Amino acid sequence: MAGAGPPAPRRPAGPPATTSSSSPEHPGHDDEDAEHQHHRDHRLLRRPQRHGGRRHLPANEPPARREGEAPARLPLTSPAAQRPPAGSRRRAALGLGGRFPGEGSGRGGTGPPQAGPPSGEAPAAGAMRPWAAVAAALWPVLRAAAGPLPTVPSITDKTFIEDCVRTHNDFRAEVQPAASNMRYLTWDAALARTARAWANKCIFKHNVYLNEKHQCHPNFTSVGENIWVGSHQAFRVADAIKMWYDEVKFYIFAMQKCTKTCSHYTQVVWDDSYKIGCAVTLCKQVAGIQNAANFICNYSPSGNLPRRPYIEGRSCSKCAKGDTCENKLCRNPERDKIISYPRWHPPWEFSFLCDEACIAVVVLRASLMFLAFVAVYFIKKHFTNMHMST
């Protein structure tokens, strides 16, 4: 066996050696090439890679949201868009007897911006279909008919009637000094119709027929009246009646003297009155107030005669014969009977009354008639060979 020579020296592990292109004439080229190669590698690492249609960020990019971290939120609108438009808040209205503040709706723009064609592009031809044109024409009518409108209670609303009667009787029972002959008030349908008929006129003055026989009631010859006008948002039965009663601060009972306005207070606590009827209506404008509530209460027998509103003394000590005492007030079953007067209305009430159902029927009939004419027009236009006889 031949003798083996010494083993060949091993090359140290590492990257393969690169061939240098430097020469004595161009020193330093190796360093420049290495720096350029470093920048190219860095750009490749920063470039997003795409695999299978999904975009991946490089490993050295921070994640969009770490686990357990709340997602970032973008502002929906700019501060200028969030600021309410000028004049969107309506001023408070002054009602009869004092101030009743009520904010208006003051709505600004609503809803997100709607998508539309890009700037400079016209809508595609034929985009507006015939049915769309009909819907656009009918939209204002249907919106006016079906849109939410402010409402007020009717004169047959049980809660409204109870509020009017109870609030009046509560104030009458607590007068100071105490009343010895204060009667209990009960509801009267004829007085309520008179109050409604006058309130519907939307004028800020007292009914001119109050003292005319059978013009405001089929039985009573005289009728008293209190009026409150203010913003419909601010209207509350108890608040309006309290405004009338608060005139007590201007009335000096012992001297039977009024230092300012007291007639609303004295009518509220007039001892002989035992029937009441109230109504509230909405007016576009009355007494300079837009969208106002016009609240009127009528009383019989009427008050405000040249005397004190009641006789001072222990409660119910001077009630009429046959009366009973309830809550410091004189009651009588015959006097307190509720009468409906189904066939009576104020003779001077000429306005046509149409409730919500009546308005809906009128609008619906007009809309259906309009749609019928539109349908006939389009049928004749698009089906020229069709013969129609009308």
Side-chain angles (χ1 to χ4, degrees):
M1 181 176 182
R10 295 182 178 181
R11 184 181 300 272
T18 57
T19 305
S20 173
S21 60
S22 61
S23 65
E25 292 81 10
H26 302 283
H29 281 197
D30 288 343
D31 296 337
E32 292 178 2
D33 291 344
E35 182 177 357
H36 292 167
Q37 181 66 28
H38 170 74
H39 286 299
R40 284 195 299 271
D41 294 343
H42 182 68
R43 285 195 298 271
L44 288 175
L45 286 175
R46 296 288 296 179
R47 183 179 302 167
Q49 303 297 323
R50 297 182 180 271
H51 299 283
R54 298 180 62 183
R55 185 173 182 176
H56 298 271
L57 291 176
N60 61 344
E61 284 291 329
R65 180 167 62 92
R66 297 178 181 177
E67 184 177 358
E69 205 173 34
R73 296 187 178 183
L74 297 177
L76 298 178
T77 56
S78 64
Q82 295 175 352
R83 190 179 302 117
S88 64
R89 293 171 60 88
R90 299 179 183 173
R91 294 186 178 274
L94 283 178
L96 178 62
R99 183 183 298 270
F100 273 83
E103 292 292 335
S105 57
R107 295 180 181 176
T110 58
Q114 301 295 323
S119 176
E121 292 186 12
M128 180 64 75
R129 303 295 182 186
W131 60 265
V134 174
L138 285 177
W139 174 245
V141 177
L142 297 177
R143 184 177 181 182
L149 297 174
T151 58
V152 291
S154 68
I155 61 174
T156 58
D157 185 281
K158 291 183 178 180
T159 302
F160 175 72
I161 294 173
E162 291 173 0
D163 287 345
C164 293
V165 172
R166 182 185 64 254
T167 305
H168 274 89
N169 284 325
D170 287 346
F171 283 127
R172 290 165 71 86
E174 299 301 328
V175 292
Q176 293 295 329
S180 63
N181 64 330
M182 188 72 71
R183 288 175 169 178
Y184 182 88
L185 287 176
T186 54
W187 189 256
D188 187 90
L191 290 176
R193 289 179 201 145
T194 296
R196 181 184 62 184
W198 190 255
N200 282 333
K201 293 184 178 294
C202 294
I203 54 178
F204 191 56
K205 69 176 184 178
H206 283 294
N207 192 332
V208 297
Y209 303 99
L210 293 177
N211 295 321
E212 296 188 19
K213 190 175 181 180
H214 304 314
Q215 292 297 302
C216 295
H217 197 277
N219 297 332
F220 295 112
T221 57
S222 65
V223 175
E225 183 179 72
N226 278 348
I227 302 176
W228 180 94
V229 172
S231 167
H232 75 270
Q233 296 100 329
F235 172 71
R236 301 291 184 276
V237 169
D239 293 341
I241 299 172
K242 183 179 183 298
M243 185 61 66
W244 298 331
Y245 182 83
D246 283 348
E247 292 177 1
V248 64
K249 60 190 172 202
F250 304 124
Y251 186 74
I252 305 173
F253 187 88
M255 301 177 60
Q256 192 183 339
K257 181 180 179 181
C258 183
T259 60
K260 199 175 180 180
T261 301
C262 305
S263 59
H264 305 96
Y265 160 74
T266 52
Q267 178 60 83
V268 169
V269 299
W270 197 258
D271 53 5
D272 280 348
S273 299
Y274 62 91
K275 286 296 182 182
I276 183 177
C278 303
V280 57
T281 61
L282 289 175
C283 298
K284 291 183 179 179
Q285 181 175 351
V286 58
I289 301 173
Q290 300 289 335
N291 299 319
N294 193 13
F295 178 59
I296 296 179
C297 284
N298 288 145
Y299 310 80
S300 285
S302 64
N304 291 327
L305 301 177
R307 65 169 176 86
R308 291 182 177 88
Y310 58 87
I311 300 175
E312 180 183 359
R314 182 172 54 86
S315 298
C316 296
S317 60
K318 293 185 178 179
C319 289
K321 186 178 179 180
D323 287 2
T324 59
C325 186
E326 181 178 327
N327 190 27
K328 304 179 183 179
L329 302 175
C330 303
R331 299 203 63 174
N332 184 290
E334 191 65 27
R335 189 170 60 232
D336 296 345
K337 282 183 179 179
I338 304 299
I339 305 174
S340 59
Y341 305 102
R343 298 183 180 179
W344 186 88
H345 288 272
W348 41 268
E349 183 184 21
F350 301 112
S351 60
F352 173 71
L353 299 179
C354 188
D355 58 9
E356 291 82 359
C358 170
I359 295 174
V361 170
V362 171
V363 173
L364 182 60
R365 291 184 64 180
S367 303
L368 292 175
M369 185 175 295
F370 177 79
L371 285 174
F373 279 112
V374 171
V376 170
Y377 171 78
F378 279 107
I379 290 173
K380 287 184 175 181
K381 183 176 180 180
H382 293 281
F383 300 94
T384 55
N385 295 329
M386 181 180 294
H387 297 282
M388 299 181 64
S389 60
T390 57

